[in-house]
Amino acid sequence: AGMWLVIRLRDLWLRLFDRVVERFSPQRAERWRAPLRDLVEGFARIESARTIALVVGLSVGQWLAIAASWWFGLAGVWPSAGFAAAAFAASVVALSSIVPLVPGGLGVVQGAAILALSMFGLPAEPSLALAIVIHAVQAGVVLVLGAIALASEGISLGSLASMRRSD
C-alpha cells in the first residue's frame, strides 16, 4: 500500500520533499532533488497493483531466503539459535553495507555479524566463522551468476577492462 501511495501521489511527495529540504537545508536541495525525482519516476513505471504485489512478494521471499541461509548456518555453530537471531544478523549485515568502507565489505560484514549475534549470546569465534562462510558463499554465488550473465551476453572480462580504461 505504501509503494502504491508513493507511485500515485508522486507529485505530492516531491513537493513535500522540496518544502522540507528548502526549509532545513536549502544548499542541498538542488543536489538531492534530481536523484529523488529519478527514484520516484522509476517507481512510477510500476503502475499496476499486481506488479507491486509481485515485487513486494519477491522481496519478502528473498529476505526470507537470506535469513534462512543464516539460520541453517547458525545451526552448524550454535544449534539452539532461533530464526530471530538469524534474521537479525542478516539485517544488521545488510545494513552494514550501506557505508562501503572497504571493497566487498571485508571485515565490516564479519564485525556486523559478531555484533548482531553477540546480542543473542553467541560467542565471537563461532559468529566470525559463520560470517566468513556466509560471506564467501554469497560472494561465490554473485561471481558465478555474474560470469553466467557475461557469457550469455558474449561479453569478456577483457572487453570490460578496456571499456573501463576508455572512461
Side-chain angles (χ1 to χ4, degrees), residues 64 67-68 70-71 74 78 80-92 116-117 119-120:
L64 286 173
W70 277 87
W71 191 37
L74 268 175
W78 192 31
S80 63
F83 189 77
F88 183 72
S91 299
V92 170
L117 293 171
M119 299 177 91
F120 288 87

CSV table of all heavy atoms in Angstrom, one decimal, residues 64 67-68 70-71 74 78 80-92 116-117 119-120:
chain,number,residue,atom,x,y,z
A,64,LEU,N,13.5,-13.7,3.2
A,64,LEU,CA,13.3,-15.0,4.0
A,64,LEU,C,14.4,-16.0,3.6
A,64,LEU,O,14.9,-16.7,4.5
A,64,LEU,CB,11.9,-15.5,3.7
A,64,LEU,CG,10.8,-14.8,4.4
A,64,LEU,CD1,9.4,-15.3,3.9
A,64,LEU,CD2,10.9,-14.9,5.9
A,67,ALA,N,17.6,-14.9,5.4
A,67,ALA,CA,17.5,-15.2,6.8
A,67,ALA,C,17.6,-16.7,7.0
A,67,ALA,O,18.3,-17.2,8.0
A,67,ALA,CB,16.2,-14.7,7.4
A,68,ALA,N,17.0,-17.5,6.1
A,68,ALA,CA,17.1,-19.0,6.3
A,68,ALA,C,18.5,-19.5,6.1
A,68,ALA,O,19.0,-20.4,6.8
A,68,ALA,CB,16.2,-19.6,5.2
A,70,TRP,N,21.2,-17.9,6.9
A,70,TRP,CA,21.8,-17.6,8.2
A,70,TRP,C,21.4,-18.6,9.2
A,70,TRP,O,22.2,-19.0,10.1
A,70,TRP,CB,21.5,-16.1,8.6
A,70,TRP,CG,22.4,-15.1,8.0
A,70,TRP,CD1,22.3,-14.5,6.8
A,70,TRP,CD2,23.7,-14.7,8.5
A,70,TRP,NE1,23.3,-13.7,6.5
A,70,TRP,CE2,24.2,-13.7,7.6
A,70,TRP,CE3,24.4,-14.9,9.7
A,70,TRP,CZ2,25.4,-13.1,7.8
A,70,TRP,CZ3,25.6,-14.2,9.9
A,70,TRP,CH2,26.1,-13.4,8.9
A,71,TRP,N,20.1,-18.9,9.2
A,71,TRP,CA,19.6,-19.9,10.2
A,71,TRP,C,20.2,-21.2,10.1
A,71,TRP,O,20.6,-21.9,11.0
A,71,TRP,CB,18.1,-19.9,10.1
A,71,TRP,CG,17.4,-20.6,11.2
A,71,TRP,CD1,17.7,-20.6,12.6
A,71,TRP,CD2,16.2,-21.4,11.1
A,71,TRP,NE1,16.8,-21.3,13.3
A,71,TRP,CE2,15.9,-21.9,12.4
A,71,TRP,CE3,15.4,-21.8,10.1
A,71,TRP,CZ2,14.8,-22.7,12.7
A,71,TRP,CZ3,14.3,-22.6,10.3
A,71,TRP,CH2,14.0,-23.0,11.6
A,74,LEU,N,23.7,-21.0,11.2
A,74,LEU,CA,23.8,-20.9,12.7
A,74,LEU,C,23.6,-22.3,13.3
A,74,LEU,O,24.2,-22.6,14.4
A,74,LEU,CB,22.7,-20.0,13.2
A,74,LEU,CG,23.1,-18.5,13.4
A,74,LEU,CD1,21.8,-17.7,13.8
A,74,LEU,CD2,24.1,-18.4,14.5
A,78,TRP,N,25.8,-23.1,16.3
A,78,TRP,CA,25.0,-22.8,17.5
A,78,TRP,C,23.6,-23.4,17.4
A,78,TRP,O,22.7,-22.7,17.0
A,78,TRP,CB,25.0,-21.3,17.8
A,78,TRP,CG,24.5,-20.9,19.1
A,78,TRP,CD1,24.6,-21.5,20.3
A,78,TRP,CD2,23.8,-19.6,19.3
A,78,TRP,NE1,24.0,-20.7,21.3
A,78,TRP,CE2,23.5,-19.6,20.7
A,78,TRP,CE3,23.3,-18.6,18.5
A,78,TRP,CZ2,22.8,-18.5,21.3
A,78,TRP,CZ3,22.7,-17.6,19.1
A,78,TRP,CH2,22.4,-17.5,20.5
A,80,SER,N,21.1,-24.2,19.1
A,80,SER,CA,19.9,-23.7,19.8
A,80,SER,C,19.5,-22.3,19.3
A,80,SER,O,18.5,-21.7,19.8
A,80,SER,CB,20.2,-23.6,21.3
A,80,SER,OG,21.2,-22.7,21.6
A,81,ALA,N,20.2,-21.7,18.3
A,81,ALA,CA,19.8,-20.4,17.9
A,81,ALA,C,18.5,-20.4,17.2
A,81,ALA,O,18.1,-21.4,16.5
A,81,ALA,CB,20.9,-19.9,16.9
A,82,GLY,N,17.7,-19.4,17.4
A,82,GLY,CA,16.4,-19.2,16.8
A,82,GLY,C,16.5,-18.5,15.5
A,82,GLY,O,17.5,-17.9,15.1
A,83,PHE,N,15.4,-18.5,14.8
A,83,PHE,CA,15.3,-17.8,13.5
A,83,PHE,C,15.4,-16.3,13.7
A,83,PHE,O,15.9,-15.6,12.8
A,83,PHE,CB,13.9,-18.1,12.8
A,83,PHE,CG,13.8,-17.6,11.4
A,83,PHE,CD1,14.5,-18.3,10.4
A,83,PHE,CD2,13.1,-16.5,11.1
A,83,PHE,CE1,14.4,-17.8,9.1
A,83,PHE,CE2,13.1,-16.0,9.8
A,83,PHE,CZ,13.7,-16.7,8.8
A,84,ALA,N,15.0,-15.8,14.8
A,84,ALA,CA,15.1,-14.4,15.1
A,84,ALA,C,16.5,-13.9,15.1
A,84,ALA,O,16.9,-12.8,14.5
A,84,ALA,CB,14.4,-14.0,16.4
A,85,ALA,N,17.4,-14.7,15.7
A,85,ALA,CA,18.8,-14.4,15.7
A,85,ALA,C,19.4,-14.3,14.3
A,85,ALA,O,20.1,-13.4,13.9
A,85,ALA,CB,19.6,-15.3,16.6
A,86,ALA,N,19.0,-15.3,13.5
A,86,ALA,CA,19.5,-15.4,12.1
A,86,ALA,C,19.0,-14.2,11.3
A,86,ALA,O,19.7,-13.5,10.6
A,86,ALA,CB,19.0,-16.7,11.5
A,87,ALA,N,17.7,-13.9,11.4
A,87,ALA,CA,17.1,-12.8,10.7
A,87,ALA,C,17.7,-11.4,11.1
A,87,ALA,O,18.0,-10.6,10.3
A,87,ALA,CB,15.6,-12.7,10.9
A,88,PHE,N,17.9,-11.3,12.4
A,88,PHE,CA,18.6,-10.0,12.9
A,88,PHE,C,20.0,-9.9,12.4
A,88,PHE,O,20.4,-8.8,11.9
A,88,PHE,CB,18.5,-10.0,14.4
A,88,PHE,CG,19.1,-8.8,15.0
A,88,PHE,CD1,18.4,-7.6,15.0
A,88,PHE,CD2,20.3,-8.8,15.7
A,88,PHE,CE1,18.9,-6.4,15.5
A,88,PHE,CE2,20.8,-7.6,16.2
A,88,PHE,CZ,20.1,-6.4,16.1
A,89,ALA,N,20.7,-11.0,12.4
A,89,ALA,CA,22.1,-11.0,11.9
A,89,ALA,C,22.1,-10.6,10.4
A,89,ALA,O,22.9,-9.8,10.0
A,89,ALA,CB,22.8,-12.3,12.2
A,90,ALA,N,21.2,-11.2,9.7
A,90,ALA,CA,21.2,-10.9,8.2
A,90,ALA,C,20.8,-9.4,8.0
A,90,ALA,O,21.4,-8.8,7.1
A,90,ALA,CB,20.1,-11.8,7.5
A,91,SER,N,19.9,-8.9,8.8
A,91,SER,CA,19.6,-7.5,8.6
A,91,SER,C,20.7,-6.6,9.0
A,91,SER,O,21.0,-5.6,8.3
A,91,SER,CB,18.3,-7.2,9.5
A,91,SER,OG,17.3,-8.0,9.1
A,92,VAL,N,21.4,-6.8,10.1
A,92,VAL,CA,22.5,-6.0,10.5
A,92,VAL,C,23.6,-6.0,9.5
A,92,VAL,O,24.2,-5.0,9.2
A,92,VAL,CB,23.0,-6.4,11.9
A,92,VAL,CG1,24.3,-5.7,12.3
A,92,VAL,CG2,21.9,-6.1,13.0
A,116,ALA,N,25.8,-8.5,15.9
A,116,ALA,CA,24.4,-8.9,16.0
A,116,ALA,C,24.2,-10.2,16.7
A,116,ALA,O,23.3,-10.3,17.6
A,116,ALA,CB,23.9,-9.0,14.5
A,117,LEU,N,25.1,-11.1,16.5
A,117,LEU,CA,24.9,-12.4,17.2
A,117,LEU,C,25.3,-12.4,18.6
A,117,LEU,O,24.7,-13.2,19.5
A,117,LEU,CB,25.6,-13.5,16.4
A,117,LEU,CG,25.1,-13.8,15.0
A,117,LEU,CD1,26.0,-14.7,14.3
A,117,LEU,CD2,23.7,-14.4,15.1
A,119,MET,N,24.4,-10.1,20.6
A,119,MET,CA,23.2,-9.7,21.3
A,119,MET,C,22.3,-10.9,21.6
A,119,MET,O,21.4,-10.7,22.5
A,119,MET,CB,22.4,-8.7,20.4
A,119,MET,CG,23.3,-7.4,20.2
A,119,MET,SD,22.5,-6.2,19.1
A,119,MET,CE,21.7,-5.3,20.4
A,120,PHE,N,22.5,-12.0,21.0
A,120,PHE,CA,21.7,-13.2,21.3
A,120,PHE,C,22.5,-14.2,22.1
A,120,PHE,O,22.1,-15.3,22.3
A,120,PHE,CB,21.2,-13.9,20.0
A,120,PHE,CG,20.1,-13.1,19.3
A,120,PHE,CD1,20.4,-12.1,18.5
A,120,PHE,CD2,18.8,-13.4,19.6
A,120,PHE,CE1,19.4,-11.3,17.9
A,120,PHE,CE2,17.8,-12.7,19.0
A,120,PHE,CZ,18.1,-11.6,18.1
